[in-house]
Amino acid sequence: MRRLDDFVPADHPLRRIRVMVNEALAKMDELFSRMYEADIKGGRPSIAPEKLLRAMLLQILFSIRSERQLMEQTQYNMLFRWFIGLAMDDAVWVPTVFSKNRQRLIEHDAVVAFFNEVLETAENKDWLSGEHFSVDGTLIQAWAGHKSFVSKDGDDDAGGGGDFKGQRRSNETHESKTDPDSRLYRKGKTASELRYMGHTLTDNRHGLVVNAMVTQADGFAEREAAKAMIWDARQATASADAEVTLGADKGYDAAEFIEALHRMKVTPHVAQNKSGRRSAVADEIAQSEGYAISQRKRKLIEQGFGWAKFVGPIRQVMVRGIKKVDQLFVLTMAAYNLVRMRTLAEVRPLPA
């Protein structure tokens, strides 16, 4: 009798990814046991969390926009069944049950745990420097439109038909009815849209994402998220005396942020902003060799954002609420790491 594994080519790119995914999931048995116990006590219909995570990864890797489409493809796609761990004759889940089970992963921080286990695999293979990082943020369009952005006190004209010309609207006085966690925000030359902000911290050795988080969109979110993420990275370094550096673009060149980095014993390799002002980054730092390297390496972070929006679902998320958006963003960055790690594993040294 033939198995599903027999139908998957030996050199298929998903094979190496599946090995790394299985290694990460195997370390999460204790967490999964607690989730099973909670489901039994609550009498809820349950999907095995490890299969749920594999299915969610497929949705990201293959740019599948909806859970209904994912369930439909899993019904007939042998590659999907093999990756998830379903047999040929196993029933596929109902989309609504699949959606409810995603919420269970949030309640148990399972996606964060999975992200960390994937990162540990990278660390064990010496793909991380652990000392030199880059940070940046990106805008995420919310699954909510302008017509949902109405006055908090209910004074909006019900017959306005969505014509807001001449009206003053702000996050202080208005909120979205469909996604109250989103915020009306614009950056640079972009139009004002209901958005979130996604933030990543990458390791400079190979551009792998070592931390990811979503915040509400405002003018301070990028620097506040950067401080939180680099503090976690600083705490994880083996030696308190190790030099930790952080590369970033000109938007992070603010005196308060640079001072915070110095207090954390992090060297600010932030691009100097001298447009009509004095940079908060000292010239002796900006003239160092390490600074120049960080400025080149920090551009790797854009590859993660580009992948997350072109292949992944982050350009405009189809979930609502900051917890669900954060879950999707973190899992997308875990998927991005897996793709990069697969490539790193295939690299062979050139002959002497």
Side-chain angles (χ1 to χ4, degrees):
M1 181 178 178
R2 300 193 70 182
R3 302 171 303 159
L4 279 173
D5 188 79
D6 298 330
F7 296 95
V8 181
D11 59 348
H12 195 284
L14 272 186
R15 280 196 176 275
R16 197 179 292 272
I17 289 178
R18 191 174 188 266
V19 169
M20 292 186 288
V21 169
N22 288 347
E23 288 177 0
L25 294 176
K27 300 173 185 176
M28 297 170 62
D29 281 344
E30 186 177 338
L31 173 61
F32 293 152
S33 296
R34 293 200 301 271
M35 293 177 68
Y36 282 124
E37 290 174 6
D39 288 336
I40 292 171
K41 291 178 181 177
R44 293 183 293 238
S46 176
I47 297 174
E50 56 270 31
K51 293 181 180 178
L52 180 66
L53 277 165
R54 290 196 193 99
M56 290 166 64
L57 281 171
L58 282 177
Q59 187 173 1
I60 294 167
L61 292 168
F62 285 85
S63 307
I64 301 172
R65 293 294 291 169
S66 73
E67 290 164 357
R68 187 170 297 278
Q69 289 180 359
L70 176 63
M71 297 302 99
E72 179 183 328
Q73 290 209 29
T74 303
Q75 182 67 43
Y76 59 76
N77 191 320
M78 290 190 293
L79 178 68
F80 280 24
R81 284 179 171 268
W82 166 81
F83 188 86
I84 293 170
L86 295 174
M88 283 188 183
D89 55 351
D90 281 347
V92 177
W93 312 295
V94 177
T96 53
V97 174
F98 189 87
S99 299
K100 289 178 181 178
N101 276 262
R102 289 179 69 130
Q103 182 64 33
R104 292 166 54 225
L105 299 182
I106 295 176
E107 295 168 3
H108 293 270
D109 286 329
V111 166
V112 174
F114 177 73
F115 178 93
N116 290 336
E117 294 298 347
V118 170
L119 204 61
E120 185 175 335
T121 298
E123 187 172 2
N124 292 338
K125 294 182 180 296
D126 199 31
W127 289 336
L128 303 175
S129 72
E131 297 175 355
H132 304 293
F133 304 94
S134 297
V135 70
D136 205 354
T138 190
L139 295 177
I140 301 172
Q141 190 170 345
W143 191 240
H146 278 287
K147 290 184 179 181
S148 74
F149 195 64
V150 297
S151 175
K152 294 178 182 179
D153 56 18
D155 286 345
D156 280 329
D157 179 10
D163 183 8
F164 305 112
K165 188 174 181 180
Q167 296 183 22
R168 292 180 61 86
R169 299 191 301 161
S170 73
N171 292 310
E172 286 70 32
T173 58
H174 291 64
E175 71 177 6
S176 170
K177 291 186 297 182
T178 53
D179 189 356
D181 288 340
S182 64
R183 292 292 181 269
L184 193 67
Y185 185 75
R186 63 173 296 173
K187 184 178 181 181
K189 297 181 180 179
T190 63
S192 292
E193 299 284 353
L194 287 166
R195 290 174 163 139
Y196 291 94
M197 269 191 176
H199 314 269
T200 60
L201 184 76
T202 58
D203 186 276
N204 284 356
R205 179 166 292 173
H206 293 294
L208 293 171
V209 179
V210 297
N211 205 334
M213 63 188 297
V214 167
T215 65
Q216 292 178 323
D218 64 48
F220 303 96
E222 285 185 299
R223 292 195 291 271
E224 291 303 312
K227 286 189 285 187
M229 292 190 294
I230 193 61
W231 173 248
D232 287 346
R234 187 71 180 88
Q235 294 293 96
T237 56
S239 171
D241 297 326
E243 183 189 14
V244 173
T245 65
L246 181 67
D249 62 31
K250 292 181 179 180
Y252 293 83
D253 186 3
E256 181 274 333
F257 180 69
I258 302 302
E259 290 169 4
L261 293 184
H262 283 304
R263 288 195 299 271
M264 288 186 274
K265 297 183 179 180
V266 174
T267 304
H269 285 178
V270 176
Q272 288 185 307
N273 184 2
K274 295 185 175 181
S275 301
R277 61 189 287 273
R278 182 177 179 180
S279 172
V281 180
D283 287 339
E284 55 265 31
I285 293 176
Q287 293 166 5
S288 67
E289 183 180 355
Y291 179 89
I293 295 172
S294 289
Q295 286 300 300
R296 291 196 303 271
K297 286 287 190 176
R298 73 174 175 84
K299 297 175 184 177
L300 286 172
I301 206 167
E302 296 296 340
Q303 295 181 16
F305 291 147
W307 189 92
K309 292 185 176 185
F310 183 74
V311 177
I314 299 303
R315 183 178 298 279
Q316 181 177 30
V317 290
M318 295 182 70
V319 293
R320 296 187 173 114
I322 194 167
K323 290 184 178 180
K324 290 182 179 179
V325 175
D326 182 74
Q327 179 195 57
L328 185 59
F329 185 73
V330 172
L331 188 62
T332 298
M333 290 307 166
Y336 171 72
N337 279 348
L338 287 165
V339 171
R340 282 194 67 83
M341 289 161 63
R342 179 199 66 200
T343 302
L344 290 170
E346 292 173 349
V347 170
R348 296 290 184 269
L350 295 174

